Amino acid sequence: VYTEAARLLFAGGKSQIPVTVSLNTLLKANGTQIGYLDFSVPIQTSLASLTLQLGRAEEVQVLVPLNGHTDLKKYAPRKSALHATLQYQGLKWSLVGAISELSNNGQQAKQGMRYLTLTVNVDNPLTQIVIPGSPFDYMRLKVGSQSLAPQETTLPVSFAAGESGKSGDVTFLIRQNASTQTFILLAQTQNGFDQATQTLSIP
């Protein structure tokens, strides 16, 4: 709802909600729409003194100065290549990439937070199927003193014998200023599998 998520900010600190909106609140995947947010401002107001704010109070907010010199690169997703390998449950786990972004699958991060998505490749050199189970149960990201479970994942729950290069993503919600993280595959003592960890530095 744009009357909740959009504000026009004035130089003196005041803000205003849209008077009328022509944009739909729902947008199909990979879709584009054109429309307007209509604000009512005093006639003498300089356009260059205004800023469009997108994001609710509890979300990370995007600020767009209307001065003709807007650079929104700081809000763009940041991609990093990773080269880390772990052994866990007889499988080879390779961390090959990361994306840090302020929104994920249509959900804006909460204030002070960001989404970190890790791309994981898994090889099974064994002659039998391996079933680690759900990554929500055995996968964690430690940031400071916090041990975070995934927000979502596309990794499968099992890997066929001899299967190679099975890929999936795992998304965590972390603090924006967290530049060091520890990727953890938790021990499964009932099955005799030790914990595996890898320290990462993803700004």
Side-chain angles (χ1 to χ4, degrees):
V1 180
Y2 287 98
T3 52
E4 297 177 5
R7 293 289 185 273
L8 190 65
L9 307 182
F10 294 81
K14 293 183 179 181
S15 65
Q16 187 181 94
I17 66 173
V19 176
T20 56
V21 178
S22 71
L23 296 165
N24 294 323
T25 56
L26 295 177
L27 184 61
K28 294 180 179 180
N30 298 314
T32 300
Q33 64 172 317
I34 298 174
Y36 61 81
L37 305 173
D38 188 12
F39 299 90
S40 178
V41 301
I43 195 168
Q44 71 274 16
T45 304
S46 168
L47 184 63
S49 68
L50 301 173
T51 298
L52 176 65
Q53 174 184 289
L54 297 174
R56 296 179 179 87
E58 70 275 12
E59 297 174 332
V60 176
Q61 295 169 341
V62 175
L63 300 177
V64 185
L66 304 183
N67 56 15
H69 304 287
T70 303
D71 184 1
L72 300 179
K73 291 180 181 177
K74 64 180 178 180
Y75 299 116
R78 300 195 305 271
K79 296 183 179 182
S80 304
L82 300 177
H83 307 280
T85 302
L86 304 86
Q87 296 293 326
Y88 179 71
Q89 294 201 23
L91 304 173
K92 177 184 175 183
W93 304 70
S94 300
L95 301 175
V96 298
I99 300 178
S100 176
E101 52 194 342
L102 300 180
S103 63
N104 180 263
N105 279 348
Q107 182 66 50
Q108 189 76 355
K110 295 189 180 299
Q111 277 282 9
M113 307 295 285
R114 61 183 165 112
Y115 290 100
L116 182 63
T117 299
L118 304 176
T119 299
V120 185
N121 287 349
V122 181
D123 298 333
N124 181 6
L126 306 179
T127 57
Q128 62 189 35
I129 187 174
V130 177
I131 308 175
S134 170
F136 292 101
D137 296 330
Y138 65 82
M139 196 171 285
R140 296 292 183 269
L141 192 70
K142 187 174 183 181
V143 181
S145 60
Q146 290 184 304
S147 181
L148 306 172
Q151 295 285 305
E152 60 180 51
T153 178
T154 59
L155 272 174
V157 298
S158 64
F159 302 91
E163 190 169 42
S164 178
K166 195 72 173 181
S167 183
D169 294 330
V170 188
T171 300
F172 300 89
L173 183 64
I174 71 171
R175 299 192 311 273
Q176 283 191 31
N177 60 358
S179 59
T180 302
Q181 310 85 23
T182 301
F183 179 73
I184 302 173
L185 300 172
L186 295 173
Q188 297 191 21
T189 54
Q190 70 275 17
N191 297 327
F193 294 113
D194 295 331
Q195 178 172 289
T197 64
Q198 175 66 50
T199 299
L200 307 172
S201 295
I202 305 172

